Amino acid sequence: MGAARLGTMKTRLPAALLLLTATVLSACSPPSQQDSTAPETSEVLTTSATASALGPIIVPADDLAEVSAVSISLDRPLSITAGAETTETATTTDAATATESADWTATISDPSVAEFVAGGVRNGARFNPGIKALKAGTSEVTLVGPDGVAHTLTLKVVTDNAATGIDR
């Protein structure tokens, strides 16, 4: 009886392994139809990467006299770099640069379109002064640096990030 039972097990074991393999492989196979409402992974990654890759529109303080207009968007604010910030990263220990960043002011003719964001040191990090978009539109902006020199430009807030930039 032992030999007959062993023979039966030899035929059942390969059949069981075949059934197990088929079950595992079918669980790993993609579904026959994709859910048309769910975005593909590459679409989600591309959208997120594009949105996070945009930086501010940067204008060095020394170049403001040459700027007639700046177009920004809700995703791309205007950042004014001052002092050592134009050539290298300044640290929070650079008190002169931090003070210079904090000493900028601005007047915006239509405050519903954009707002001035003061520079300076906050929570151990140094920030440049700049303009943050609030809604699409146009406004005249006068920026006054720590030297007291006023720079007036036309600020355009656009909805298309590709349309952002600087007019000289």
Side-chain angles (χ1 to χ4, degrees), residues 45-66:
L45 295 176
T46 302
T47 304
S48 299
T50 303
S52 65
L54 297 175
I57 301 295
I58 298 173
V59 177
D62 296 339
D63 293 349
L64 275 174
E66 302 168 16

Side-chain angles (χ1 to χ4, degrees), residues 77-92:
L78 171 65
S79 178
I80 307 298
T81 58
E85 301 167 72
T86 59
T87 57
E88 61 187 47
T89 303
T91 64
T92 56

Side-chain angles (χ1 to χ4, degrees), residues 20-32:
L20 179 62
T21 303
T23 304
V24 170
L25 289 177
S26 68
C28 295
S29 299
S32 59

